[in-house]
Amino acid sequence: MRVEDEHNSRVYPKRGMQIIRGQGARLWDSDGREYVDMGASVGVMNVGHGNEYVTEAIRQQSERLMYVYSVFHNDQREQLLEKLAEITPDPLRRSFLCSSGTEAVEAAIKFARGHTNKKWIISAKRGFHGKTYASLSATWSRKYREPFEPLVPDFEHAVYGDIESLREHICEDVAAVLLEPIQGEAGVRLPPDGYFQQVREVCDENGS
Ligand SMILES: Cc1ncc(COP(=O)(O)O)c(C=O)c1O
């Protein structure tokens, strides 16, 4: 812990324990103490630590091929894209693969602006979308935003779950409305029933 404290960037304050192993929902620290990972490591380990199917797939693939540049087709990418096309609702047929939430949001904003040729992005007050520049511009909390201003222009925040607030913000120059299905960082906050259908309608009315 002393060596890590000396050399890490200090972006994330540490909790004074060193986690070195996980199995299923359990974690162990370097003193052998056992913990239950109630948050599934921020949702990233929701299939459990040391999951045998995941570790075996990683072992097999890393022996065969660790990386292939995106200009080539690949058998494994093909399977994932096909599965995503199966489980995403119509008319979604294509996916852009990336490795983190903030990258996915960044990509979504670029696709929306590029596709619509419009500029405004409306997200929600108390929403969280990541910490790279465009994702951070969609994120609400001042504590994340202020140290890095100026952010990307033309982002606004409507009240989450309030369709009238969205109507007040939307206009014909809105490229996308970006919302969490359940707000996480703000607490576990669900919108009223039917909210997302109404959001879709408001977007359709404005070509967003
Ligand atoms: C709703 C939401 N969007 C985006 C992100 C950013 O994801 P990542 O930390 O993988 O970049 C998070 C992370 O907690 C999130 O909860």
Side-chain angles (χ1 to χ4, degrees):
M1 286 193 274
R2 185 186 54 75
V3 173
E4 207 185 338
D5 285 344
E6 197 176 322
H7 296 296
N8 88 77
S9 66
R10 297 195 292 188
V11 167
Y12 293 99
K14 297 279 184 279
R15 298 281 169 91
M17 54 207 241
Q18 189 186 43
I19 302 296
I20 56 165
R21 192 163 71 84
Q23 188 62 50
R26 290 177 300 165
L27 293 170
W28 285 266
D29 70 13
S30 44
D31 293 326
R33 273 188 297 253
E34 186 179 323
Y35 304 86
V36 179
D37 184 357
M38 302 293 284
S41 290
V42 208
V44 174
M45 297 310 302
N46 56 14
V47 294
H49 297 274
N51 179 296
E52 62 180 302
Y53 297 103
V54 175
T55 53
E56 181 54 20
I58 292 172
R59 190 189 65 75
Q60 282 182 21
Q61 186 59 36
S62 59
E63 282 174 6
R64 194 150 64 94
L65 184 67
M66 284 279 271
Y67 173 77
V68 62
Y69 191 40
S70 352
V71 297
F72 299 109
H73 287 92
N74 172 258
D75 59 333
Q76 301 300 309
R77 191 193 295 125
E78 162 206 303
Q79 286 180 37
L80 177 57
L81 289 171
E82 191 174 40
K83 188 79 194 165
L84 287 169
E86 262 170 48
I87 63 175
T88 45
D90 285 340
L92 299 176
R93 302 290 305 150
R94 295 179 184 277
S95 296
F96 175 76
L97 303 178
C98 44
S99 46
S100 70
T102 199
E103 268 179 275
V105 171
E106 215 54 48
I109 291 167
K110 286 167 116 177
F111 279 123
R113 283 186 168 172
H115 177 70
T116 61
N117 216 16
K118 301 177 180 191
K119 60 175 192 242
W120 285 93
I121 306 291
I122 301 179
S123 56
K125 293 186 200 292
R126 303 172 75 179
F128 183 83
H129 298 285
K131 293 181 182 165
T132 54
Y133 261 97
S135 305
L136 183 60
S137 307
T139 290
W140 166 248
S141 172
R142 234 185 271 155
K143 81 175 172 202
Y144 297 132
R145 298 164 58 90
E146 267 181 3
F148 307 107
E149 288 173 345
L151 302 182
V152 180
D154 301 334
F155 281 71
E156 276 199 5
H157 298 84
V159 176
Y160 185 75
D162 178 344
I163 199 68
E164 291 315 315
S165 172
L166 180 61
R167 280 191 207 284
E168 280 162 24
H169 285 83
I170 207 149
C171 68
E172 286 191 350
D173 201 17
V174 170
V177 174
L178 179 61
L179 297 165
E180 292 158 272
I182 298 172
Q183 283 196 323
E185 177 95 4
V188 181
R189 296 184 68 229
L190 282 85
D193 284 350
Y195 174 65
F196 283 104
Q197 284 84 352
Q198 291 176 316
V199 171
R200 178 72 270 163
E201 284 162 25
V202 172
C203 287
D204 287 344
E205 283 161 22
N206 288 275
S208 308

